[in-house]
Amino acid sequence: MTVLLLILSVVVGVFLGKHFGKKEKLAKNLLILSAGFLITICLNEVFPQVYAYEGSYNLGIFVIAGVLLQMILEALTKGFEHGHFHHHNDHSILPVALMVGLFVHAFIEGIPLANEEHEFSPYLLGIVFHNLPISFILGAFLFNGKEKSRSSSFPALLIIALFALASPMGMLLGNYFNPDLQPYFLAIVGGIFLHISSVIIFESNKNHNIDWVKIGLVILGVALALVLHLFHEHPHAGHIH
């Protein structure tokens, strides 16, 4: 079910992007909503789990490593993860750079899923909620932009397929790691989540005016994550089976 949910989050996002992708405002609003959700999951779920593990040291270094890793990946994707798809008119980033950047990003996020005790954990739903707007932008970019002529080509389909399978492949690999490494992988992903969500939320508004719609969407995303948090039974970290 986890693998199916991960794949569907990409497929549905690409489908919506193909049909509604010309509405750039909709894509940005979805990203802002997901950012509010993601940063709440990060601070309310991921980091508490990370620091609750017994016998784990220097975890803050791995959080910082996650932030730096995402900054490096954005050199490949040109900020695709937080809605900068208007920079992707340069054909030189396709297909290899974008494909590698998105794949590595999603692959690493999938590794901690191998040791999640609950099938529909907040961490999983955080990935799904984040995949939808990214996939929406990907679908819009491939099917509605200057790359439309590539939409049925092998490189474009390969990008979509690899992005859809990246997190499940990461989860599969995670089964072969020592469970004691779980807090370190979670810390890295926490850094990735923190960077992406904070960039989306805190990017300067046009003319530095208050954007009430943006604030409302962030609050809505936070509220959705908090509701999920309240109804989620937390496993006791530090006791890994």
Side-chain angles (χ1 to χ4, degrees), residues 16-24 27 85 136 139-140 144:
L16 292 174
K18 177 181 179 180
H19 293 282
F20 302 100
K22 293 181 179 180
K23 300 179 180 180
E24 186 173 330
F85 58 97
F136 182 100
N144 294 298

Side-chain angles (χ1 to χ4, degrees), residues 11 31 45 56 128 149 178 218 236:
V11 173
L31 274 170
E45 305 286 345
S56 301
V128 169
S149 60
N178 187 328
V218 171
H236 294 287

Side-chain angles (χ1 to χ4, degrees), residues 28 32 84 198-211 214:
K28 291 203 174 282
I32 294 168
H84 290 176
S198 60
V199 167
I200 295 171
I201 292 172
F202 298 117
E203 278 185 327
S204 297
N205 296 321
K206 188 175 181 180
N207 300 323
H208 299 281
N209 294 326
I210 296 176
D211 188 338
K214 182 176 182 178

Side-chain angles (χ1 to χ4, degrees), residues 60-75 108 187-188 190-196:
I61 298 297
F62 289 86
V63 175
I64 295 170
V67 173
L68 294 175
L69 174 61
Q70 182 57 35
M71 292 174 68
I72 293 171
L73 292 177
E74 286 175 5
I108 293 174
I188 292 171
I192 292 173
F193 280 1
L194 186 63
H195 176 74
I196 292 174

Side-chain angles (χ1 to χ4, degrees), residues 2-236:
T2 298
V3 172
L4 180 62
L5 195 59
L6 290 168
I7 293 175
L8 279 177
S9 67
V10 174
V11 173
V12 170
V14 169
F15 177 82
L16 292 174
K18 177 181 179 180
H19 293 282
F20 302 100
K22 293 181 179 180
K23 300 179 180 180
E24 186 173 330
K25 184 70 174 178
L26 175 60
K28 291 203 174 282
N29 286 342
L30 287 173
L31 274 170
I32 294 168
L33 179 65
S34 73
F37 187 92
L38 197 63
I39 199 169
T40 306
I41 291 295
C42 182
L43 297 176
N44 246 17
E45 305 286 345
V46 177
F47 285 163
Q49 285 187 52
V50 166
Y51 288 104
Y53 280 91
E54 300 172 359
S56 301
Y57 304 100
N58 299 320
L59 289 170
I61 298 297
F62 289 86
V63 175
I64 295 170
V67 173
L68 294 175
L69 174 61
Q70 182 57 35
M71 292 174 68
I72 293 171
L73 292 177
E74 286 175 5
L76 298 175
T77 64
K78 308 299 182 185
F80 207 94
E81 299 89 333
H82 38 81
H84 290 176
F85 58 97
H86 53 276
H87 294 310
H88 290 257
N89 292 328
D90 180 3
H91 290 198
S92 66
I93 68 162
L94 280 174
V96 177
L98 181 61
M99 184 169 64
V100 170
L102 290 178
F103 179 84
V104 173
H105 169 95
F107 183 86
I108 293 174
E109 288 178 349
I111 293 175
L113 288 171
N115 291 301
E116 284 289 309
E117 296 183 4
H118 294 273
E119 192 172 26
F120 296 103
S121 68
Y123 176 76
L124 169 63
L125 295 181
I127 295 175
V128 169
F129 213 81
H130 181 53
N131 276 352
L132 283 169
I134 294 179
S135 302
F136 182 100
I137 293 171
L138 187 61
F141 174 61
L142 293 174
F143 291 94
N144 294 298
K146 291 186 177 182
E147 296 298 314
K148 187 174 181 180
S149 60
R150 292 174 177 260
S151 61
S152 59
S153 67
F154 177 74
L157 295 177
L158 183 62
I159 290 172
I160 295 170
L162 284 178
F163 185 47
L165 294 174
S167 289
M169 290 171 68
M171 185 175 68
L172 179 64
L173 180 65
N175 288 315
Y176 295 96
F177 285 118
N178 187 328
D180 291 338
L181 297 176
Q182 176 77 349
Y184 299 101
F185 285 116
L186 272 177
I188 292 171
V189 175
I192 292 173
F193 280 1
L194 186 63
H195 176 74
I196 292 174
S197 57
S198 60
V199 167
I200 295 171
I201 292 172
F202 298 117
E203 278 185 327
S204 297
N205 296 321
K206 188 175 181 180
N207 300 323
H208 299 281
N209 294 326
I210 296 176
D211 188 338
W212 292 108
V213 173
K214 182 176 182 178
I215 293 172
L217 287 169
V218 171
I219 292 173
L220 179 58
V222 170
L224 289 172
L226 288 177
V227 168
L228 179 64
H229 173 73
L230 290 174
F231 285 94
H232 177 250
E233 293 182 6
H234 294 275
H236 294 287

